[in-house]
Amino acid sequence: MNMLHPVLQEMLGQGFAVQHGLWLTPVSAQRASYSPIIFFLGIATALGLGFLLIWSFFGRPLRRVPVWSCGFPVRTSAMQDSPLGFAQPLLRIFAPLYQAGREADGAGRWRMRIGEPLYRGFYQPLNLVAFWLSAQVLRLQQGRITLYLLYSFLTLLVLLAIWR
């Protein structure tokens, strides 16, 4: 306890107030004081009661029974769950957002195709604008040398007008 006093003194400007045995009084005994032992016993009791209540409702041992074969006497690998089966609920919920779709290849395997909404909504329009601008600049650069010098001179005049 005495080791914490200089740290609290430097951080808060005051250390522990009056210490009565194992009682901690951070500011003053009238405002706040607690016993760490009673606090620990209260938390331990609450955790223990919570554990007992949960165990009494849900902690009973499971019954072991034969596996239900769903009417199929022989199991094959086609009846096993696949990653696509686990992802199916999420894919159905977020399908409009990601433009998800399933497609089968020739061997009877399913393949998922998921679009990219950030690319489609932000980068693709930005890409189209960049291509259009580059085509316009390329059109400017493919003229005669006199037109190119005129564009350069007008650009310098505009920059000078902005600079002033």
Side-chain angles (χ1 to χ4, degrees):
M1 196 67 61
N2 291 334
M3 289 188 213
L4 287 177
H5 186 73
V7 174
L8 291 174
Q9 184 71 31
E10 188 173 329
M11 288 174 57
L12 302 174
Q14 63 185 15
F16 284 115
V18 181
Q19 299 176 7
H20 301 286
L22 291 177
W23 289 87
L24 294 178
T25 54
V27 180
S28 68
Q30 290 81 19
R31 287 179 52 186
S33 64
Y34 64 94
S35 171
I37 294 173
I38 294 174
F39 183 73
F40 173 74
L41 290 176
I43 294 293
T45 303
L47 287 174
L49 285 175
F51 175 76
L52 289 175
L53 282 173
I54 291 172
W55 185 78
S56 67
F57 286 115
F58 303 109
R60 295 185 179 92
L62 299 175
R63 291 185 300 155
R64 300 290 177 193
V65 295
V67 177
W68 181 43
S69 62
C70 300
F72 298 104
V74 178
R75 289 176 158 181
T76 64
S77 62
M79 296 175 185
Q80 301 262 334
D81 281 328
S82 67
L84 183 60
F86 287 108
Q88 192 65 25
L90 289 174
L91 290 173
R92 287 187 183 205
I93 292 170
F94 295 111
L97 179 66
Y98 287 108
Q99 291 184 343
R102 292 187 304 176
E103 43 192 48
D105 60 1
R109 291 178 298 213
W110 287 92
R111 181 176 298 156
M112 282 300 304
R113 183 193 49 80
I114 296 178
E116 299 178 24
L118 186 64
Y119 175 77
R120 189 178 63 249
F122 181 71
Y123 289 112
Q124 192 173 17
L126 198 64
N127 196 9
L128 292 174
V129 168
F131 278 138
W132 182 82
L133 284 174
S134 66
Q136 301 309 314
V137 169
L138 195 65
R139 199 178 84 191
L140 285 176
Q141 291 178 348
Q142 290 179 350
R144 296 180 307 203
I145 190 71
T146 55
L147 286 177
Y148 182 70
L149 290 173
L150 176 67
Y151 294 140
S152 299
F153 180 69
L154 290 176
T155 303
L156 286 173
L157 286 179
V158 169
L159 289 175
L160 282 173
I162 292 173
W163 185 265
R164 287 266 171 177

